[in-house]
Amino acid sequence: MSMQQAPVPVKKGRNTVGIVALVMAVIGFIFACVPGALIVGWILLPVSFILGLVGLFQKGKASWPAITAVIVSVVGTIVGVIVFLAFLGNAIDDAVSSTSAVSASVAPGGAAADAGGAGSADSSQGRTRENPYPLGTEISGKDWKVVINSVTFNANDAVAAANEFNDPPADGKEYVLINYTATYIGNEASGESPAFVSVDYVTPGGVTVDGTDSIAVAPDALDSLTTLYNGASVTGNIVRAVPIDGAQDGVLAVRPGLLADKVFVAVK
């Protein structure tokens, strides 16, 4: 009786395509983790994925390099997307922080403070209604510097005299004149309008009174539509119709620029 000879296993050959795909996948994975070189990873990883699939169908060739290349390219792509989103988020945060940051130079006699809080005696000053900056404080954003010069209460007669079409304030309200100076400190070649600066009144109860509450024309009104260039200023009044009850206990909400942080200034 003859003994049946066991078949000799066929040794699979080198999978050159799979090896190339694996090398490219590893290099692409590394670059995908580097924010400044993401584009290189995004080029190599898809190519290595395709080559890995081709390598899987190489007859008589070892399949492990191709399989590994496919896995590494998929994982590398996922990691690359995560790194990109994190990098993009940080870039946006930095841009917004740079645009929204507000500093303040407190008027003589006021407590030293900085809206940024660095090196200030009271880092909360200006950030809350309970601890506003004093009148005369220079409030600076990225593009604008604002100074609240004065606040005049019970200005009904002055507003009435400013324009014959001005209606008297609604029952229980009085007109308040807010005089401020807006200086453009940005570098836009075409200049910018003071309309990007907002100054509103906030009642003791926390209700904001902005320009939509009254269409009255203020005497010596601030020209918010003029175009200013670096270093140029405009000064004038705006009018707000505020509740008579507790009027002088409110504060002003000042935003020196469209995207700037809001800070608070006392009314007296």
Side-chain angles (χ1 to χ4, degrees):
M1 184 175 178
S2 61
M3 298 289 292
Q4 186 175 4
Q5 187 174 4
V8 178
V10 178
K11 184 177 181 181
K12 294 185 177 181
R14 175 182 297 178
N15 191 336
T16 303
V17 175
I19 293 174
V20 172
L22 178 56
V23 172
M24 292 181 65
V26 172
I27 296 175
F29 188 108
I30 294 173
F31 277 106
C33 296
V34 182
L38 284 172
I39 187 64
V40 177
W42 287 353
I43 293 174
L44 293 178
L45 289 172
V47 174
S48 65
F49 178 79
I50 295 172
L51 288 178
L53 293 179
V54 173
L56 286 175
F57 295 96
Q58 297 288 303
K59 293 183 178 180
K61 306 293 184 180
S63 60
W64 70 266
I67 294 175
T68 306
V70 170
I71 294 174
V72 173
S73 63
V74 171
V75 175
T77 300
I78 295 173
V79 172
V81 170
I82 294 174
V83 171
F84 172 74
L85 292 177
F87 174 76
L88 182 62
N90 289 335
I92 293 175
D93 287 343
D94 290 343
V96 171
S97 296
S98 175
T99 303
S100 64
V102 175
S103 61
S105 177
V106 179
D114 186 331
S120 63
D122 183 354
S123 61
S124 69
Q125 186 172 24
R127 293 193 172 195
T128 64
R129 293 185 293 123
E130 294 75 21
N131 189 17
Y133 289 122
L135 288 171
T137 298
E138 288 188 351
I139 300 166
S140 301
K142 178 177 180 290
D143 295 318
W144 291 94
K145 179 172 67 178
V146 180
V147 178
I148 306 298
N149 302 310
S150 64
V151 179
T152 304
F153 292 91
N154 194 19
N156 298 353
D157 292 341
V159 173
N163 190 298
E164 61 180 316
F165 297 105
N166 282 344
D167 293 325
D171 290 342
K173 292 188 176 182
E174 66 179 61
Y175 282 132
V176 171
L177 292 178
I178 304 167
N179 182 278
Y180 70 90
T181 299
T183 303
Y184 183 59
I185 56 176
N187 296 309
E188 182 63 41
S190 58
E192 282 194 9
S193 163
F196 288 108
V197 173
S198 68
V199 178
D200 296 315
Y201 174 90
V202 183
T203 69
V207 178
T208 298
V209 179
D210 56 27
T212 62
D213 289 74
S214 172
I215 59 173
V217 177
D220 298 321
L222 182 136
D223 186 356
S224 62
L225 299 181
T226 187
T227 299
L228 300 180
Y229 297 89
N230 183 273
S233 301
V234 63
T235 299
N237 295 315
I238 59 173
V239 60
R240 299 288 183 260
V242 309
I244 296 174
D245 186 23
Q248 298 193 35
D249 295 324
V251 294
L252 301 181
V254 180
R255 196 186 297 274
L258 187 62
L259 300 178
D261 290 335
K262 180 188 297 182
V263 295
F264 298 97
V265 177
V267 296
K268 58 182 180 179

